[in-house]
């Protein structure tokens, strides 16, 4: 109340002072105004310099007194309210600019729009910026630059000019640990409000996601005493370098793209946003390389789960909850990773566990619930991959539709796969003039002869293309010779077994007529087999 009275008194004093000056300047007669400038300047009708200095001193005194009393008696929020009210009363303007404030803190949680704006604006910084912040995390590939306090960035979206400004408000606190609040100010013309909120902000979020994916360092998480240990995943395998048929590559990539963009579809049909893949085939056919290629393509982390280290269903659930979104969970060699029936049989009451330990062992039902049960919905954008060398040994329950959505056969190396490997290892990319040994290699590769891993091993023996391909031809000829030899042996065994079966049938027919002859022939048959 005291502050309000003093403010009103000060306002009227100031107003009377300006009215006095205005009256003095226009109180002179027309004839007096026509006098010489030097005579008018020293006219006795004007106030003396002493009067001016007295008024200024009085004004300064009032200001100092009001300021001191205001800081002592009026709380800070009340002062801000009074100042803003007076400012809006005397200095109101008809500005058409709207400013949005984007804070880092959103009711105790991180603001996703703030993080998206920070990432997006890091690519829009002007070369003329005077102050920037620099940072590099353990999962960042390069140094990142961000706006510092007071720096601005100009942007244009659909011919609409926008201005960004980063502000750090430290308040009156001087503690080292209190960094104050940080926020962005986005200013634009009010008439574009709907466009900015409904189109520009989603555009920023989408672009920020692309930037983060590009900057992201992939991690490989492995199991260690029921917790995940992480290392950087630097596997160079991509869909361009992997030895697969082009048609199969396209099918896998299209399936991954369709999975990523169908978040709303999965939600609409009531399914968890996940995808299952079964990779099967002989050893050395590139199953692990395909997993790495999928991770590099999607920018997903990889979790390598060893089921032999998981003792019960509760541990499996705990590990699932510890995985992050946008990740690939891999269970390699699922056919021999754990023997569910044997493990259940070995867990007899009172054997191998403490008396108070009532946790059930790892079961097939627990694994199935982990794949497509309630626990599978604990997270989004998850991919589950099983690998096996023997698909026929898997329990049919694991192959039921809805669990492993796509089955991918990783077979022996084809000629098309060989050309991909030759391009990777020997830089043989000329399709118009292929190497002279290509026709021979294509002939020798016909059928299931050699795996991609074996081809890569031969190509790595020399950097000279001629030497490496000659070595591959020799290896193929040996493999085909062994394959033909083994097939001949198998044919002989099959023909011999067929002859023995026919001979046994004839003996059975003969034994029906004469018991003595049958006994002799049975003896001969026993001698023949021994």
């Amino acid at each position: 109340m005291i502050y309000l009275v003093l403010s009103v008194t000060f306002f009227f004093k100031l107003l009377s002072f300006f009215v006095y000056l205005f009256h003095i300047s226009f109180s002179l007669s027309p004839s007096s105004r026509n006098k010489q400038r030097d005579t008018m300047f020293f006219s006795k009708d004007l106030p003396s310099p002493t009067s001016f200095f007295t008024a200024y001193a009085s004004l300064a005194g009032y200001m100092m007194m009001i300021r001191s009393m205001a800081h002592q008696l009026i709380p800070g929020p009340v002062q801000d309210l009074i100042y803003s009210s007076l400012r809006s009363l005397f200095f109101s303007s008809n500005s058409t600019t709207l400013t949005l404030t984007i804070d880092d803190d959103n009711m105790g949680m991180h603001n996703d729009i703030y993080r998206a704006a920070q990432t997006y604006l890091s690519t829009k910084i002007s070369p003329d910026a005077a102050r920037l912040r620099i940072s590099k995390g353990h999962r960042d590939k390069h140094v990142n630059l961000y706006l510092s306090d007071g720096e601005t960035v100009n942007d244009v979206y659909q011919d609409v000019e926008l201005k960004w400004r980063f502000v750090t408000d430290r308040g009156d606190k001087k503690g080292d640990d209190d960094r104050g609040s940080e926020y962005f100010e986005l200013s634009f013309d009010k008439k574009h409000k709907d466009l900015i909120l409904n189109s520009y902000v989603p555009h920023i979020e989408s672009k920020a996601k692309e930037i983060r994916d590009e900057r992201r360092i992939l991690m490989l998480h492995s199991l260690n005493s029921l917790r995940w240990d992480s290392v950087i995943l630097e596997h160079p395998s991509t869909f361009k370098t992997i030895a697969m048929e082009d048609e199969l590559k396209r099918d896998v990539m299209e399936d991954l793209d369709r999975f990523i963009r169908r978040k709303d579809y999965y939600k609409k049909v009531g399914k968890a946003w996940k995808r299952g893949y079964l990779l099967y085939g002989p050893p050395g056919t590139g199953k692990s390389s395909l997993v790495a290629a999928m991770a590099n393509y999607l920018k997903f982390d990889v979790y390598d789960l060893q089921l032999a280290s998981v003792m019960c269903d509760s541990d499996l659930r705990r590990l699932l909850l510890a995985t992050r979104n946008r990740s690939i969970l891999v269970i390699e060699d699922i056919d021999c990773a754990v023997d569910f029936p044997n493990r259940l049989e070995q867990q007899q009451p009172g054997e191998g566990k403490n008396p108070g330990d009532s946790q059930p062992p790892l079961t097939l039902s627990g694994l199935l619930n982990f794949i497509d049960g309630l626990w599978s919905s604990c997270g989004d954008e998850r991919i589950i991959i099983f690998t096996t060398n023997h698909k026929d040994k898997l329990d049919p329950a694991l192959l039921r539709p809805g669990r492993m959505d796509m089955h991918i056969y990783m077979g022996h190396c084809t000629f098309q796969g060989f050309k991909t490997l030759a391009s990777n290892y020997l830089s043989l990319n000329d399709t118009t003039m292929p190497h002279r040994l290509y026709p021979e290699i294509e002939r020798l590769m016909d059928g299931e002869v050699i795996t991609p891993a074996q081809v890569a091993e031969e190509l790595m023996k020399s950097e000279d293309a001629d030497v490496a391909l000659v070595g591959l031809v020799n290896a193929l000829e040996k493999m085909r010779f062994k394959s033909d030899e083994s097939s001949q042996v198998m044919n002989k065994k099959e023909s011999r077994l067929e002859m023995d079966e026919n001979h046994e049938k004839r003996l059975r027919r003969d034994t029906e007529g004469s018991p003595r002859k049958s006994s002799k022939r049975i003896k001969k048959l026993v001698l023949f087999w021994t």
Side-chain angles (χ1 to χ4, degrees), residues 141-160:
K141 293 181 180 179
H142 308 291
V143 171
N144 299 320
L145 296 177
Y146 300 105
L147 295 178
S148 185
D149 185 26
E151 290 293 334
T152 61
V153 168
N154 296 320
D155 195 14
V156 177
Y157 180 74
Q158 295 186 10
D159 298 330
V160 177

Side-chain angles (χ1 to χ4, degrees), residues 250-296:
R250 287 193 297 269
D251 291 342
V252 175
M253 294 170 68
E254 289 174 0
D255 190 77
L256 293 173
D257 291 335
R258 184 165 53 251
F259 165 71
I260 292 299
R261 67 171 178 263
R262 299 179 83 183
K263 177 180 179 180
D264 295 335
Y265 175 79
Y266 276 86
K267 184 177 181 180
K268 183 181 71 173
V269 300
K271 290 192 64 176
W273 192 15
K274 67 176 186 61
R275 191 75 173 162
Y277 295 89
L278 175 66
L279 311 184
Y280 66 99
T285 53
K287 294 185 286 293
S288 298
S289 296
L290 179 57
V291 173
M294 295 169 72
N296 288 324

Side-chain angles (χ1 to χ4, degrees), residues 128 302 516:
D128 300 330
V302 177
R516 295 181 62 184

Side-chain angles (χ1 to χ4, degrees), residues 223-238:
L223 195 59
N224 181 15
S225 300
L226 293 181
R227 65 183 182 87
W228 296 110
D229 285 346
S230 305
V231 295
I232 297 177
L233 177 62
E234 296 180 327
H235 201 293
S237 179
T238 64

Side-chain angles (χ1 to χ4, degrees), residues 481-526:
F481 178 75
K482 290 181 180 180
S483 178
D484 296 340
E485 208 174 41
S486 61
S487 62
Q488 290 177 3
V489 172
M490 290 298 296
N491 291 334
K492 288 181 179 180
K493 288 182 179 180
E494 290 177 358
S495 61
R496 185 176 178 179
L497 289 174
E498 186 177 356
M499 290 175 60
D500 294 341
E501 289 177 0
N502 295 333
H503 186 66
E504 185 179 359
K505 289 179 181 178
R506 286 197 301 269
L507 289 175
R508 288 178 181 175
R509 287 197 301 268
D510 294 341
T511 55
E512 293 177 357
S514 174
R516 295 181 62 184
K517 289 182 178 181
S518 64
S519 62
K520 292 180 180 179
R521 289 179 179 179
I522 290 174
K523 291 180 180 179
K524 291 181 179 180
L525 181 60
V526 172

Side-chain angles (χ1 to χ4, degrees), residues 18-41:
F18 282 109
V19 169
Y20 171 72
L21 292 179
F22 180 81
H23 172 72
I24 293 297
S25 60
F26 285 93
S27 61
L28 298 177
S29 61
S31 60
S32 300
R33 278 185 240 150
N34 293 330
K35 291 182 179 179
Q36 297 294 332
R37 180 174 301 176
D38 54 349
T39 305
M40 186 178 63
F41 182 78

